Amino acid sequence: MTVNLDKGQKISLSKSGGGELSVVRMGLGWQAAARKGFLAKLMAREIDLDASAVLFAGQEPVDVVFFQHLISDDGSVRHTGDNLVGGAGQGGDDEAILVDLQRVPAHVDQIVFTVNSFTGQTFTEVQNAFCRLVDETNGQELARYTLTGGGAYTAQVMAKVRRSGGGWEMAAIGEAANGRTFQDLMPAIASHL
């Protein structure tokens, strides 16, 4: 059963039958919003959203996974590849980041997921955008955060997973920001650590 997360809501990443999740996928999907007007169909529009995962030890970033660094230095986090145009929308994932929670080094206590418009379009030009967390062992969607309403911003600090007790929990952040890369988002990320 999927939990639809609201901004700031948190869920535990424990399996319903007990035990901890081992591998999760943070998926990102989107579509370009339909253009209006006479020439709309003549001008195709591609929007390149990028998913990134920044690994933190306390307040310090220690690694990042994004389209130019697809695997974390320790191998526990892996980006499946860059999608330059989107298109999945409410269906499957256009980009995904796999996290092997059991292999994440002990000093890493948080992983923050971001999305940014590398091509610079704002989220008013995007529709059906979402991020979701999936149990990779059985394909079950655990949580979904929908980017609703669009807006005149080019990025979003989407969600984070953090160590909690002996396991992990996910929190939907949903903070609008501006920037073309994860580096541009570091000040916005810092307020959620």
Side-chain angles (χ1 to χ4, degrees):
M1 181 171 93
T2 299
V3 174
N4 288 311
L5 291 173
D6 294 322
K7 184 176 179 176
Q9 185 178 357
K10 296 178 184 176
I11 62 164
S12 171
L13 297 184
S14 297
K15 289 189 174 189
S16 58
E20 297 295 325
L21 292 172
S22 57
V23 180
V24 295
R25 173 173 24 107
M26 178 64 71
L28 169 67
W30 74 94
Q31 295 174 324
R35 287 190 167 191
K36 296 178 182 173
F38 178 70
L39 298 175
K41 292 185 176 148
L42 299 176
M43 300 178 350
R45 177 174 50 187
E46 296 178 348
I47 296 178
D48 180 9
L49 296 186
D50 290 323
S52 302
V54 185
L55 288 70
F56 286 89
Q59 304 289 311
E60 296 298 316
V62 294
D63 203 352
V64 65
V65 173
F66 69 116
F67 69 92
Q68 290 183 331
H69 186 242
L70 295 176
I71 301 173
S72 62
D73 294 339
D74 58 63
S76 66
V77 182
R78 183 173 53 89
H79 195 298
T80 60
D82 194 15
N83 181 317
L84 303 177
V85 298
Q90 294 179 346
D93 302 328
D94 291 314
E95 290 193 13
I97 297 175
L98 300 167
V99 181
D100 186 338
L101 296 169
Q102 296 175 337
R103 290 184 54 208
V104 173
H107 70 283
V108 173
D109 58 356
Q110 297 181 81
I111 302 171
V112 178
F113 298 94
T114 65
V115 59
N116 53 274
S117 173
F118 187 75
T119 45
Q121 291 102 330
T122 67
F123 279 79
T124 57
E125 299 176 68
V126 176
Q127 68 182 10
N128 299 326
F130 66 86
C131 86
R132 66 188 189 134
L133 193 69
V134 176
D135 180 345
E136 198 62 12
T137 60
N138 62 16
Q140 179 185 2
E141 184 175 284
L142 303 170
R144 177 178 286 257
Y145 180 70
T146 303
L147 287 165
T148 56
Y153 49 88
T154 59
Q156 188 147 135
V157 181
M158 296 293 292
K160 72 177 178 177
V161 292
R162 73 174 186 90
R163 292 187 193 270
S164 175
W168 292 84
E169 70 178 12
M170 177 188 174
I173 297 171
E175 179 181 327
N178 282 295
R180 294 182 55 224
T181 66
F182 77 89
Q183 293 100 325
D184 299 334
L185 305 180
M186 293 307 283
I189 292 171
S191 67
H192 295 284
L193 299 176

